[in-house]
């Protein structure tokens, strides 16, 4: 038998899954680690924690499964994007990694925009300067910790540090590198123009590969720690969303996925590079060689429902615990009793500001149309519908860029709700289905490892062999027509409130 390993380096922990070549998970192990927040808005992690978790979880899945390690054909690594790992000449970590959710770099974003130019930055890196991206973190260290920057010999992303510890190679791949804001996304290589204008030495950066390419092999030292035989190939892997795309089969034009987690994502595959000149959505190289993906983000998708649950659904939580059910199951049943449009009640899900399409940190949540007839169940239905309208906003931006969406997959916690899936199908006016496997990114990079080691001829072939989907929920024409009236009104509310949001934020 032949086996593949997928390592998924997340923010709360690293999960390693051992698969057979049919994509069946044989063993899984997650090892958690801390997040450090030395100041308000800062977020850091220790790269050595990631390595110990990756090595320990690899050793554990081999022990659990009882497979012969020599039958493991390859390893793929998925990881949280945008984190900054700085190493000295000896490969030692110079400081804790500043990770994706850190917000300290607002001034550096202004500096990057001024030095490169707002339009030029979007043309080259496909995105405006954002605090989450790696370039602004590099500039922050350069500006605030010059003694550390002076010692820096290598800059890596989180998963690429684990790769270095496994193989001794300084390497990255196009999907994760796209989130550094230093890559020429259309050309899939480092941008000499951006690096020059920011004063960052290209020699600090790793070699860029395509996601399925072999980037190195496990060293003898790493073999002792992981139980993986020396010489086992390690492929490029992918950033977390690009890996999830492979793990759900979102690898051809016309296919997209919607994730309703804490935040929400609408992610579409495209064979042609397409960049929004307004920077409302992210365009990155994807894990399929020569292709890209475009991604819109809703800040408070599942978070909106969790906020409602925690503040207004105590009875459901108590009842669900007694029944051994998820509270969201009972909330779904209550929302189903309310008609489309929640009897003329709309919800704007801007609890944490918004990314797509407004790029407005000041906007906030709104119930619009509230009357004395409305019950708690009406508010619940309105919250669920408002989240779907916000994700339709992302779909509309993508469609305006020429990205076609004919087939939609639903992922994340919200994707497990039949009611929310039907809302997505009706509001997007396309079939919505789920993937049988729940392994997502880990399965995605295991497929990439299979491509790199010759188990599959291509990413598309690997997905066709491994990914299985459940029956889709079809849009109901009458529902779509009804939702369309409310969505049109929904799109008129933010422009009407924009100046009021700003005024509210300025009140001391």
């Amino acid at each position: 038998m032949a086996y593949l390993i997928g390592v998924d380096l997340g923010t709360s922990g690293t999960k390693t899954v051992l698969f057979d070549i049919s994509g069946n998970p044989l063993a899984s192990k997650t090892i958690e680690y801390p997040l450090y927040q030395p100041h308000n808005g800062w977020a850091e992690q220790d790269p050595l924690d990631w390595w110990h978790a990756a090595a320990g979880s690899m050793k554990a899945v081999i022990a659990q499964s009882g497979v012969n390690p020599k039958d493991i054909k390859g390893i793929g690594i998925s990881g949280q994007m945008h984190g900054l790992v700085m190493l000295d000449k000896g490969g030692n970590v110079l400081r804790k990694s500043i990770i994706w959710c850190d917000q300290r770099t607002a001034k550096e974003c202004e500096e990057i925009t001024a030095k490169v130019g707002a339009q030029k930055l979007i043309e080259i890196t496909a995105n405006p300067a954002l605090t989450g991206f790696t370039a602004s973190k590099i500039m922050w260290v350069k500006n605030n910790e010059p003694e550390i920057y002076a010692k820096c010999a290598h800059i890596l992303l989180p998963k690429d540090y684990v790769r270095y510890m496994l193989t001794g190679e300084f390497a990255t791949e196009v999907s994760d590198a796209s989130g550094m804001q230093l890559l020429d996304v259309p050309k899939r290589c480092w941008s000499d123009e951006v690096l020059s204008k920011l004063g960052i030495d290209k020699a600090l950066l790793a070699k860029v590969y395509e996601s399925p390419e072999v980037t190195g092999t496990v060293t003898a030292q790493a073999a002792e720690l992981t139980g993986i035989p020396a010489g086992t190939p390690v492929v490029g892997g992918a950033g977390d969303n690009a890996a999830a795309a492979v793990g759900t089969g979102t690898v051809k034009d016309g296919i997209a996925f919607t994730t309703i987690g804490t935040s929400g994502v609408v992610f579409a595959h495209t064979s042609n590079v397409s960049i929004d000149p307004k920077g409302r959505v992210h365009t990155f190289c994807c894990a399929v060689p020569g292709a890209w993906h475009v991604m819109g983000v809703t800040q408070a998708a599942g978070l909106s429902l969790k906020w409602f649950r925690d503040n207004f659904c105590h009875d459901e939580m108590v009842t669900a615990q007694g029944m051994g059910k998820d509270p969201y199951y009972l909330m779904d049943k209550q929302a189903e009793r309310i008609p489309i449009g929640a009897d003329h009640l709309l919800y704007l899900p801007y609890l944490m500001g918004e990314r797509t399409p407004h790029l407005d940190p000041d906007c906030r949540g709104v119930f619009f149309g509230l009357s004395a007839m409305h019950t708690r169940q009406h508010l619940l239905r309105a919250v669920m519908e408002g989240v779907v309208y916000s994700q339709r906003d992302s779909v509309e931006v993508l469609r305006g860029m020429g990205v076609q969406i004919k087939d939609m997959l639903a992922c994340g916690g919200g994707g497990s709700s039949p009611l929310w899936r039907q809302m997505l199908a009706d509001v997007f006016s396309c079939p919505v289905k789920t993937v049988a496997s729940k392994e997502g990114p880990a399965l995605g990079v295991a497929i990439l490892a299979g491509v790199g080691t010759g188990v599959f001829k291509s990413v598309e072939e690997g997905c066709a062999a491994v990914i299985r989907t459940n029956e889709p929920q079809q849009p109901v024409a009458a529902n779509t027509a009804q939702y369309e009236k409310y969505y049109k009104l929904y799109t008129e509310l933010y422009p009407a409130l924009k100046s009021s949001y700003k005024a509210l934020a300025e009140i001391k």
Side-chain angles (χ1 to χ4, degrees):
M1 277 294 285
Y3 305 97
L4 299 165
I5 281 184
V7 179
D8 182 20
L9 192 163
T11 308
S12 58
T14 288
K15 180 181 185 180
T16 295
V17 186
L18 178 70
F19 298 93
D20 64 22
I21 58 172
S22 296
N24 300 306
L26 305 180
S28 174
K29 176 67 175 178
T30 299
I31 296 178
E32 297 183 349
Y33 32 71
L35 171 70
Y36 300 96
Q37 295 182 279
H39 300 284
N40 187 27
W42 290 26
E44 300 181 349
Q45 288 185 315
D46 188 337
L48 281 169
D49 286 343
W50 300 332
W51 166 237
H52 293 146
S57 57
M58 280 187 265
K59 197 156 196 169
V61 296
I62 293 171
Q64 284 175 32
S65 64
V67 305
N68 185 340
K70 292 180 181 178
D71 291 332
I72 295 169
K73 297 299 181 186
I75 301 169
I77 312 173
S78 160
Q80 52 165 298
M81 296 178 68
H82 315 302
L84 171 62
V85 181
M86 307 184 88
L87 308 180
D88 64 17
K89 288 179 182 178
N92 303 301
V93 175
L94 284 167
R95 69 172 330 280
K96 285 188 174 71
S97 171
I98 306 173
I99 66 166
W100 63 276
C101 52
D102 189 282
Q103 295 297 315
R104 76 184 73 177
T105 62
K107 288 182 180 177
E108 283 69 30
C109 287
E110 293 174 7
E111 179 185 355
I112 289 168
T113 303
K115 287 181 173 178
V116 180
Q119 206 57 43
K120 179 60 72 174
L121 192 65
I122 290 176
E123 285 174 16
I124 296 173
T125 72
N127 294 281
L130 294 170
T131 53
F133 284 15
T134 320
S136 63
K137 297 176 172 70
I138 296 171
M139 299 301 285
W140 186 90
V141 174
K142 195 176 181 186
N143 292 339
N144 294 275
E145 298 175 347
E147 70 288 352
I148 288 177
Y149 191 82
K151 294 176 185 175
C152 182
H154 303 282
I155 289 173
L156 295 173
L157 291 161
K159 79 174 195 319
D160 300 326
Y161 175 71
V162 170
R163 178 201 323 281
Y164 165 67
M165 296 297 283
L166 265 179
T167 67
E169 300 290 339
F170 297 106
T172 189
E173 47 70 47
V174 291
S175 74
D176 213 358
S178 295
M180 292 185 75
Q181 203 133 48
L182 301 174
L183 194 79
D184 185 321
V185 170
K187 295 178 181 175
R188 307 170 84 88
C189 63
W190 296 124
S191 169
D192 291 327
E193 181 175 350
V194 172
L195 290 167
S196 174
K197 287 180 176 177
L198 298 184
I200 297 171
D201 186 353
K202 189 175 177 180
L204 296 175
L205 303 179
K207 183 179 177 181
V208 183
Y209 291 82
E210 290 291 338
S211 297
E213 287 187 275
V214 173
T215 57
T217 59
V218 174
T219 64
Q221 185 179 1
E224 287 184 21
L225 295 170
T226 63
I228 309 287
T232 303
V234 179
V235 300
D240 47 12
N241 278 300
V246 179
T248 55
T250 309
V251 295
K252 293 181 180 178
D253 287 351
I255 304 178
F257 70 75
T258 296
T259 298
I260 304 179
T262 302
S263 61
V265 170
V266 176
F267 178 113
H269 179 94
T270 176
S271 296
N272 302 308
V273 63
S274 185
I275 297 172
D276 176 32
K278 297 179 182 178
R280 294 168 296 177
V281 296
H282 304 310
T283 298
F284 292 151
C285 301
C286 78
V288 179
W292 289 263
H293 65 252
V294 190
M295 183 172 73
V297 179
T298 297
Q299 294 282 73
L303 178 62
S304 287
L305 194 61
K306 183 180 185 298
W307 165 80
F308 191 84
R309 182 200 70 180
D310 292 349
N311 289 283
F312 305 107
C313 295
H314 177 72
D315 290 348
E316 285 81 0
M317 292 170 75
V318 171
T319 303
Q321 188 174 13
M323 294 171 62
K325 294 273 189 183
D326 188 325
Y328 291 119
Y329 170 80
L330 297 184
M331 290 163 66
D332 262 21
K333 293 301 178 187
Q334 294 197 357
E336 279 177 352
R337 294 159 46 196
I338 305 299
I340 290 171
D343 286 322
H344 298 86
L345 180 63
L346 289 167
Y347 169 72
L348 308 186
Y350 307 144
L351 300 183
M352 305 295 289
E354 193 52 291
R355 290 264 290 277
T356 304
H358 306 306
L359 283 173
D360 186 348
D362 294 330
C363 62
R364 290 295 180 266
V366 171
F367 282 104
F368 176 77
L370 194 62
S371 77
M373 72 164 288
H374 288 126
T375 65
R376 189 166 54 96
Q377 287 75 22
H378 284 90
L379 272 69
L380 171 58
R381 173 94 191 197
V383 167
M384 296 180 76
E385 291 182 349
V387 169
V388 174
Y389 295 146
S390 74
Q391 296 193 296
R392 166 77 179 270
D393 278 346
S394 290
V395 169
E396 290 304 314
V397 173
L398 300 188
R399 286 171 174 164
M401 295 165 63
V403 177
Q404 297 299 312
I405 299 175
K406 299 174 185 174
D407 212 355
M408 182 68 73
L409 294 144
C411 310
S416 63
S417 160
L419 176 60
W420 234 341
R421 290 201 304 272
Q422 190 61 52
M423 286 181 183
L424 290 169
D426 293 338
V427 173
F428 293 175
S429 191
C430 71
V432 173
K433 55 191 175 184
T434 56
V435 175
S437 173
K438 302 298 182 188
E439 297 300 347
L443 178 58
V445 290
I447 292 171
L448 294 174
V451 177
T453 56
V455 175
F456 310 117
K457 290 180 182 177
S458 66
V459 179
E460 295 89 339
E461 184 193 273
C463 288
V466 166
I467 305 298
R468 290 173 287 280
T469 57
N470 300 312
E471 280 296 307
Q473 287 178 240
Q474 300 291 340
V476 177
N479 292 355
T480 298
Q482 188 71 357
Y483 278 119
E484 201 64 27
K485 300 172 190 174
Y486 287 102
Y487 176 67
K488 183 178 183 300
L489 181 56
Y490 172 91
T491 62
E492 294 170 3
L493 294 177
Y494 172 80
L497 292 168
K498 184 176 180 180
S499 60
S500 298
Y501 282 134
K502 186 171 178 58
L504 180 65
E506 289 174 351
I507 293 175
K508 302 297 183 187

